[in-house]
Amino acid sequence: MVSDQEGPRLLVLLSGPNLQLLGERQPEIYGRDRLQDHVARAAKAAAARGFELEHLQADSEKELVEAVHRSRGRAAGIVVNAGALSHYGWSLHDALAAFEGVVVELHLSNPAAREPWRHRSVIGPVADGLVAGFGSLGYELAVEAAARLISD
Ligand code: DQA
């Protein structure tokens, strides 16, 4: 069972390495909002669609993989900004492949318009869709997309 019809359904938001530095880290690329600002907007967007949002930031692939495992059978969807792990985190790919709900890949910047090593995503093949390049709008757009894919 992935959703509890009695209460709010669950969306899990995962933030990968270095994203706790948002606001300070390369603001010309990632903007001035802090991770907690993005998460607050994402939680609001989730609540507006009847979802509870659970967020985890981790620098290690292990913790992110474990969070995906814990989401199995519990969450209706996962929104994931895996940071640089998006480009080489194959164990995160495999964990997401074993998750039965909706997966939305998220980036603040548009990796396709950046260095060549960012052009490949290993999350893309196991995601339902991608939100990238919308800066501070991205977190709420991705949550909105996940909630609507689940509900509509
Ligand atoms: C990012 C893009 C990645 O290429 C980069 O390694 C990040 C952030 C983004 O949100 O634009 O850490 O995922």
Side-chain angles (χ1 to χ4, degrees):
M1 190 178 86
V2 287
S3 67
D4 173 10
Q5 298 303 324
E6 300 301 313
R9 290 167 297 173
L10 180 65
L11 284 176
V12 170
L13 174 63
L14 298 177
S15 299
N18 302 307
L19 293 175
Q20 74 276 45
L21 300 180
L22 286 175
E24 299 168 31
R25 173 194 180 206
Q26 296 181 283
E28 68 286 2
I29 296 174
Y30 299 116
R32 298 227 169 255
D33 288 344
R34 295 160 304 167
L35 182 58
Q36 65 206 70
D37 302 323
H38 294 290
V39 174
R41 280 197 296 269
K44 207 170 157 192
R49 293 258 165 208
F51 286 83
E52 191 180 306
L53 190 81
E54 200 174 275
H55 174 247
L56 172 85
Q57 188 279 328
D59 286 328
S60 78
E61 189 168 357
K62 174 180 185 287
E63 281 179 79
L64 295 166
V65 165
E66 287 169 352
V68 174
H69 294 171
R70 284 196 302 274
S71 302
R72 298 179 69 229
R74 204 169 68 89
I78 296 178
V79 173
V80 53
N81 183 350
L85 286 170
S86 312
H87 313 300
Y88 64 89
W90 287 108
S91 63
L92 188 54
H93 161 107
D94 283 353
L96 289 165
F99 174 72
E100 67 287 351
V102 163
V103 175
V104 176
E105 179 181 3
L106 167 64
H107 301 283
L108 293 164
S109 67
N110 178 5
R114 299 180 62 195
E115 304 96 313
W117 64 269
R118 295 185 202 270
H119 294 180
R120 180 177 77 172
S121 166
V122 300
I123 306 300
V126 289
D128 292 281
L130 166 69
V131 172
F134 294 101
S136 62
L137 288 176
Y139 277 72
E140 58 189 281
L141 291 177
V143 162
E144 171 80 12
R148 291 181 65 176
L149 274 182
I150 293 160
S151 307
D152 291 354

